[in-house]
Structure formats: C-alpha cells, structure tokens
Amino acid sequence: MKKSKRKDKNNIFILSPLALALSTMLSHSAYAEQSNKKDDIEVIEVKATLGILGSLREAQSIKRQSDNVVDAIVAEDIGKFPDDNVAEALQRIPGISVTRTDGAGQKVTIRGMSGKYNITTFNGRKLATDSENRDFNYDVIASELVGKIEVYKTQQAKLQEGAVGGVVNIYSRKPLDLGEELSLSVKNEYNARAKSHNPKTSFLVSDVFLDDTFGVLASLVHTKRVSRYDKYNSTNWDDWQYHELYSTANPNSEQEDVVTPNNANINDTFRMPRWPRITQTESERERLGGTLALQWLPNDDLDVNFDVLFSSYDVDNKAKAMTLVLPAYDGAAKITEFNVGPDGFVDNISWNNATVELLETGVPRKSDTYQVGLNTNWVLDDITLNFDMSVSGAKNEDDGNGSLVVVRAGVSGATINFNGNHPIPDMTLAQALDENAVYGAHHSRKFGNTVDDKTARFVIDGTWEPLTGTMSALFFGLGYNSQNKEKYNFYPSSPSIFAFDHSDEVNPTFTAPTVNIGGNTMWQLPHNVISPGTGNGFGGGANVPQVWPSINQSALFAYFNKLDPNAAKSLVPQSSENGDTYGVKEETLHAYIESKFEDNMFGLPYMLDIGVRYIKTDITSFSYSRNPANLVFNDDGTVANSDWKKRDLQQFEDSYSDVLPSVNLKLNLSEELVLRFAAAKAISRPFLSQLIPNTKIDPELEDVNDDKERRTIKYNNPGLTPYSSKQFDTALEWYYSENGNLSFASYFKQFAGFVKDNEFEETIAGNSFLATREINDDRHSLIRGYEISWFQTFDEFLPEQFAGFGISANYTLNNSTSGESDSEGKEIPFFGLSKHQSNVNLFYEQNGLSMNIAYNKRSSYSVKKVSHWTYETGGSVDTEQAVAPSWGNLSVGMSYDITDNLRVTADAYNLLDPDETLTVNALKTELLTAGASEGSYIFENASYGKSYSVGLRYKF
C-alpha cells in the first residue's frame, strides 16, 4: 500500500486514501493522532480476536479519530457482538434508547428522535426495511453478521441526508482485513417464560488468494427461538353516567330502584374501561441470514469490493385472550356490587349473567431482506475516487395469513377489581370456563398487509489531498438514490357476517342451533371448535384465570363454510383498494462539497470541516381514495346514493429541494484533550403514510351533545414538506490513556415542521362539512441534552493478581420540549423519550476468562396518546398519554478459552424481568363531572421472562 505523501504543518499524519477507505469504508475520513516522537503513520490494526478490552479500545480509537461526533460498538470476536440483539447493543451508546416489540429490541431512538427521524445504512448504503414506514427493524439482522456499528450524531455534507436524530451505519467484515479464518459457533438458549430451548448456529469462513490480493468471506447464521409474554390491557376508559349503566345492565329496573355507588346522583359521570383483557402470546421466530464479501486489490491504487447481505426472517405470533364484557356492553347482566373511587374511576364491579369473550389472533411475519453492492476505490495520485452502487429490497409478504377470531360464552357471574395488589386487576369467574361450555360465534376475519420496499443507489465520491496548504482534504460527490415502498392491504368484505347483528344475512344449509348469550342470539358452535386450554403462571402471580380454552380456527372456518358457503366467502381476504393500499416513491439527486482544513489555532492543532449538501427530491405516490365530487344529497339533506363510497386510484407528484450546510471543528487542546464544535441543518422526510393522496368522507349526520349535527371530511396532504432541524453540538473528550477516556457532550436541536390537523368549514354539494387537512405546523420544539461516558481499566490501580477489571459507563440527560400542550396547557413530551438514561458495563478479562455485567436503566417516558369518549365533546379525544415507568435491564456474559481454538460461553438476559406497565394520568378537565381532582388507571401491563444460553465457539 502507498504511504501518506505528506506530513501536515501540525505534525498530524494523514492516512493514505486507500488506507482511509479500508479503515472506514465509504469515504469516512480518519483523523490521526498528533505525534512529536515519530514520523511514521498511525495504523488501526483490525484483529480477528479483540476481546472486550480490544473492542473498547477500537471503539475509542474510532471516536477519537473521527471528524464529527461519533460513537461506535465493535464486536468482541467473530460472531460475538456484545448483545444477542443489535438494537439492544446500540442502547450501550450514550443518547440511544431501544423500543421493544414482543420483548425484543427492534427500533432505536437517538437523542430523543425515534426511528422515523433516523437513517440506517449497511456498509454506507441505505437498507430497505419491511416496516410500513421509515423505521428500520433491526431484528432482521443477526448480530453475528455485524463487525461494528458507528453512530454519526453530527452531520457532514458527505453523509446521507434524512436523519435529524443520527445515522447508524452497520459494517460487515472484509476478507483482506480478516485474512484466513474459519469459525463455528453453536448456542442453546432457554426461555424461562416459554420453557423453550432455542438453538443458534453461526459459521464464518474467510480466505485470501493471489498473494493476498484477493479475498473471499462468507458467513451464515441460523436461529430458532420460541418466546412467550403475558399482557393485560383495558383499552379506552370512557365517560359513563350511572343511569346509562343501569338501563343497559338492568333494563327492567325502575330508575327509583337503582342504588348508585357512593350515594352518587343518577346523572353523575364516572369512567370505566372497554374490554379488560388478558392475553398470552407465543412467538416462534426463525431467521436465516448471511453475508458474502469479495475483495480484490490488484495493485496499490485499486480496491474493488462486492458484498451481499440476505436475511430470511419468519415470525409466527399466536395470541389467545380472555375478555370480560362489562355490564355496560351486556344487556343480560345484573349488577350486584358496583363501587367508584373518589377519582371518578370504577374500583370494582360484580355482576350475574356475565359474558366472556375468547379472542385469538395470528400475526405472521415473513420477511426477506437483501442488499447487493459494488464499491470501487481508485487512487489517482492525490485524488481518490470512490464509485458505489447497490440495490436493496425488503418484503413482508402477507396476503391474508393473519387472523382474528372471537367467540362468546356465558357464566353465571363475574367480578373485576381494579384496586388489587397487582398491576393486573383481579378477575374472577363464578365457574371455570372450559371446552365443555356453550359458545356462540361473534367475529372472524383473516387479513394481512404486504409491504414491499426497494432501494437503489449510485454515487461517485471523491477526495483530493493537496500536498501543500492548510486544506488537507477536499471531499466532493454526487449521486442518485431511490426508495419505492408499497403496501397492499388484504381484508374480508364482511368479517362479522356470522355475528348476531348480521344473522339475517346468513342462510343456513341445515337446521343450525342458536344460543342466547348476553341478551343476543348467536350461532352455537360445535364442540370441535373449542379445545382444552393450558396455562402456567400468567402475569407472574396475577389473580386471574390461569387456564382458558383455545379456538380451533380451522374447525371454526369449516363450520362457517358448512353453515352458509356463500356467506363464508365474505370472510375470505381480498386485495383492498382502500386507503391502506398505497405506494410512495422518492427519487433523490444530491451533490456535495466538503473541505477539511488543518493548522494551528493559538498554537493548538485544529481540524475544521466545512461542507454543504444539495438535494432534490421527486415524489410520486398513489392510493385509492374517495372523491367528494361523487357526493349527492336529497333536498332533506340525506345522502342520495352510495356513489361517494367508491374509491378511485389517485396519484400525486411533487418535488422539492434543500441546501444543508454543516460545520465540524476539532481542536486538540493537548495530546490527550480534544474539544469539538458542530453546527448543521438537517432534515427528516414526512412519514410515508402522510404522503399519499387519500380522502376520508363521512357524509352521514352525527348526533352529538347539544343536538349538534356535523358531516366530516379528512384530506391527506402529500405535499407536506420535510421536518427540519438547526443543530448545535459540543464535546470535550479526554483520552488520558490507551485504556481510558472520559468524554462530555451536549446537543441542541431546534426542530420545526411538525404536522398538525388544520380544521375548517367546507361546503360540498350544498352541505357544510367539518374538514381536516394535515399541514406543517409553525411551532418549534427543542431537543437538548447532555451525555457523559467513561471507559477505564484498573490494572494500574490493583495488584497484579486482580488485573483485568474494567468499566464502561455512560449517562444521558435529555431536557427537551415538544412545543405541544394538552387541554390544560401542560406540555406533551416526546414519545419514547426518557429524561434520564444510563448504562454500566463491568468486565473482567484475563488468562482466557472473560466476564461482563451490563446494566441498562432508563427513566419513565410517554409512549403514546390514548383516546377516550367524553361528554364534553360528545366524541373521542386523545388528550391523555400512556406513560411507561422507569425500566432496568441486567444481563451477564461469560466465556472461557478452553484451548486456543475452543471457547465456551454462558449468558443470561433480562435477569430483572421488569413489568412494563403503562399508566394513564387523567387530565383534571376530564374529571370535573366526577368531582375529582386527579385520577389514573393502568392501561397495559406486560412481562416477558428471563433467558439463558450456553454455547461453544471453535476456530479452525
């Protein structure tokens, strides 16, 4: 390889262009350390075996040499990333938190911005994802395929635009870096909640040929995992008045005979949930993934790389639930006890003639992801050109494999108590519900959403390193990127056709029995539809039924087909030409120029990076939408016909451009102390679902409070402009030894361009409508916070016999303001954002023995808005938020080198196994009619269980 051609004025040595490309892949500039003692170039040596300490050292080196604010995670060894899940490994980085799906990390938030505002790349290229929006699902990539991950927290002109939060770049390995290697790893994981043994196997082979100028690397990983989690949820807690409850539950009672709880007035208001439900979900996941990398160095000036990533990820989520139908929704119920607390929320209810629902869902996910890329790095004297092209695709194919079925049964009585000693309310049935009870048909449907995402990229990047002058490098480039994501919805025409309110649409082919449940006549189901249930410790000791029957869905749909074959056709999912079927294509042209200057400032070496990026984005989208022009009314204001329900294919085209400047300054205050400043403008594009031409129309009159009437129409606005952020960052990094550093960073983002609903009156076909259109809001939010991180080994402080101990820790304080307020004027926080977050990793590594204890902690955070019906508006409002409590996770890992080639591993995950309980603190304005000053209720509670694994890794 060619050596660096010059030493700069500050005695800071610059890597050669080819070495630069190899060490950081796609034109990420290396910034070598100042040295007054030697004149040779500093080289980052990438070793096959790093260990915990080696991986932390390399992460420290990446952070120190970067031109912008970067944090990194490096795999300890081949096939051994620090966590079993890539998303959960990322939460070790300051400012990053993880969002879990089914108990496993899937999406990440960077400095308060969720995945919709970030970019994820693989080897520098945007990776397609099977999510319906812009979020990236990290669970499709097995951690064994990853060599390192870098998170760019400040902008540079050469970085891909679209990330207000940050850019996450996942790197695979290169064969000429790794050399000759062959390794095999087998592991068995035990999930305590599911009581399942889950195998994992990974394989990697790398070899070099032609005098070490050509290399081939292939890796393969297969995992199979069964997990289980238990959840309670209560959905919306709506306003009710006592007279409504008793007239429904006791229709034959005289009003004067109704005794209200707590001597309340018959017209007083209280709040009660819909459908309190307990759910047990088992998830079977199978993943097969691999990489292939070919690398050719025919001479010192040319480096050619071809790489492939693929992942096949099949998930089968099966959930069985039991729901109590509260008296407000059950005409046969008779209340025997009813108490409401001083907060206006129901405390407990007991009633006779109770209705119970059994509900089962199946939500499969068959996801295939791939990326194919070709990269050529060509050195022409003092200019390096980098040509990169790639295609990527991800598809979650589901044309109707999902299912949701509901059946009902009656029991003589039931009780629910929301004030027990467990987050899950006490639920008691007068008699156990089993497969021998009488069941009636209610709701059945099969459905699905197919998501198909394709990306393509071609870019030319260049680096000019002049031999003299203050400017040490000039980066320039242009390129083309495209993303085309389409979603196809599959849904039956009448999923409730066999429910009691559609009985007149069914023509039985035989004398079918019926049954009265909850005051409704239903089709009685044969016994083969219901199977015996199983249960084991639901909810960690909750006072609820531990066993309830299962639904044989095949037998259920076979019965419907026998009962009325024509009606059963209404249950078959079909491609739906509705607002849930759409596509968005974005084509982006970009050009950038970025200059890097190195000199002295007040006698101190500095690096100044200034750049500007220009982007032009063309958008085309389609959807199936209703057309207001089809509305026709009669003279009395009623709708004349059903033409307005028709959906036509609508298409939209738009384009916009933007200029994104960025500045990064690095000042070496000493050989050990680095000060950084960064400023930039960044954008994130609107959510894909917001960029489709879709109109929702409801021309029927609605009766609301005070006898008001209204018609509604809601327009999407595919012409929304991107979110934008003006960002300023500082960092002070102290690299006091090879095995120790302390850093402090602050960040400030002024975020604008939020989307809000703009309401206005519109006259359509001679009638007034309440119209809503999404627009870019002019409000600003402030995202600000501080990060501190520390890495230290203790060999120099401890006796030799205690050598090998160390710590890696960080803490983040996020003090952001969303700029959005609730109806009481209180600020609504960013969803998914904790104010405090900390990570501590204690490790020991000596004489072939490696151990680490990792603890992650985050404070409470708002999860989402929660709707409920209120008398104040005569409709549903989403003025309240569900809040998750503080959360802590503890994992332990251990490995021992039995020989130089054989290693045994043992790991334990989620040892604290915290309940994830979502609580809603009601607004005072929503409690005035109940005469309460405050109130809260548990919206959801879930627990996932611990897991343990043992494994062997062998290197040939």
Side-chain angles (χ1 to χ4, degrees), residues 46 58 239 295 300 472 613 634 660 724 740 864 892 898 905:
V46 181
E58 185 170 341
D239 284 6
Q295 186 178 10
D300 289 346
S472 59
R613 184 180 184 93
N634 297 313
L660 306 175
S724 65
K864 58 184 176 181
V892 177
I898 300 175
T905 64

Side-chain angles (χ1 to χ4, degrees), residues 141 271 278 406 514 893:
I141 301 181
R271 287 181 65 176
I278 54 175
V406 184
T514 59

Side-chain angles (χ1 to χ4, degrees), residues 193-437:
R193 179 62 60 85
K195 299 188 181 303
S196 63
H197 290 274
N198 308 303
K200 174 184 285 189
T201 304
S202 62
F203 173 79
L204 182 143
V205 58
S206 175
D207 207 350
V208 294
F209 311 91
L210 304 177
D211 296 327
D212 295 343
T213 62
F214 182 77
V216 179
L217 183 151
S219 64
L220 191 68
V221 59
H222 175 263
T223 61
K224 197 168 185 178
R225 184 171 184 262
V226 177
S227 61
R228 170 191 152 191
Y229 68 94
D230 300 337
K231 183 170 73 172
Y232 156 79
N233 66 292
S234 60
T235 63
N236 302 4
W237 283 60
D238 293 332
D239 284 6
W240 288 88
Q241 292 180 349
Y242 295 113
H243 70 86
E244 291 181 296
L245 181 65
Y246 280 92
S247 63
T248 301
N250 300 281
N252 297 321
S253 299
E254 297 294 333
Q255 180 167 312
E256 57 270 17
D257 296 332
V258 175
V259 178
T260 57
N262 306 326
N263 297 316
N265 185 280
I266 194 75
N267 294 317
D268 283 349
T269 303
F270 65 96
R271 287 181 65 176
M272 184 175 65
R274 303 180 190 176
W275 324 119
R277 176 177 300 152
I278 54 175
T279 305
Q280 178 180 302
T281 302
E282 284 199 355
S283 177
E284 297 183 8
R285 304 163 184 249
E286 185 170 10
R287 177 173 53 203
L288 178 65
T291 63
L292 172 67
L294 307 178
Q295 186 178 10
W296 181 39
L297 263 66
N299 54 56
D300 289 346
D301 298 329
L302 190 62
D303 182 13
V304 181
N305 290 269
F306 174 79
D307 57 88
V308 178
L309 164 75
F310 78 91
S311 174
S312 177
Y313 192 37
D314 291 346
V315 181
D316 188 10
N317 282 325
K318 295 181 179 179
K320 51 176 292 185
M322 189 186 73
T323 304
L324 292 184
V325 181
L326 294 187
Y329 305 95
D330 190 346
K334 183 177 180 181
I335 297 173
T336 58
E337 184 178 359
F338 182 34
N339 293 302
V340 174
D343 57 2
F345 288 81
V346 64
D347 278 350
N348 62 281
I349 314 175
S350 297
W351 68 101
N352 294 333
N353 302 326
T355 299
V356 181
E357 284 187 349
L358 299 185
L359 180 149
E360 293 195 9
T361 61
V363 185
R365 176 183 168 200
K366 182 176 177 56
S367 174
D368 294 313
T369 303
Y370 72 88
Q371 184 186 88
V372 179
L374 177 64
N375 179 272
T376 300
N377 202 75
W378 187 18
V379 180
L380 299 170
D381 197 24
D382 53 0
I383 294 180
T384 301
L385 295 178
N386 189 286
F387 303 89
D388 191 88
M389 62 181 67
S390 66
V391 292
S392 178
K395 188 174 186 179
N396 178 20
E397 188 169 4
D398 186 355
D399 56 2
N401 297 313
S403 63
L404 186 153
V405 297
V406 184
V407 303
R408 285 187 166 186
V411 294
S412 60
T415 296
I416 184 167
N417 177 22
F418 295 96
N419 286 337
N421 297 321
H422 196 280
I424 299 176
D426 300 334
M427 296 183 182
T428 306
L429 303 181
Q431 67 265 5
L433 195 63
D434 59 25
E435 66 276 13
N436 298 315

Side-chain angles (χ1 to χ4, degrees), residues 79 81 83-86 141-145 184-189 197-203 220-225 287 909 949-953:
F81 218 61
D83 288 271
D84 195 55
N85 182 288
V86 172
I141 301 181
S143 60
E144 288 79 2
L145 304 179
L184 174 66
S185 175
V186 292
K187 181 183 291 187
N188 179 67
E189 178 197 83
H197 290 274
N198 308 303
K200 174 184 285 189
T201 304
S202 62
F203 173 79
L220 191 68
V221 59
H222 175 263
T223 61
K224 197 168 185 178
R225 184 171 184 262
R287 177 173 53 203
Y909 307 100
S949 70
V950 293
L952 291 172
R953 181 179 294 111

Side-chain angles (χ1 to χ4, degrees), residues 21 166 314 324 341 348 371 374 480 512 558 690 747 755 836 844 861 885:
D314 291 346
L324 292 184
N348 62 281
Q371 184 186 88
L374 177 64
Y480 166 83
Q690 296 172 323
Y747 53 90
V755 176
H836 305 281
Y844 172 82
Y861 58 95

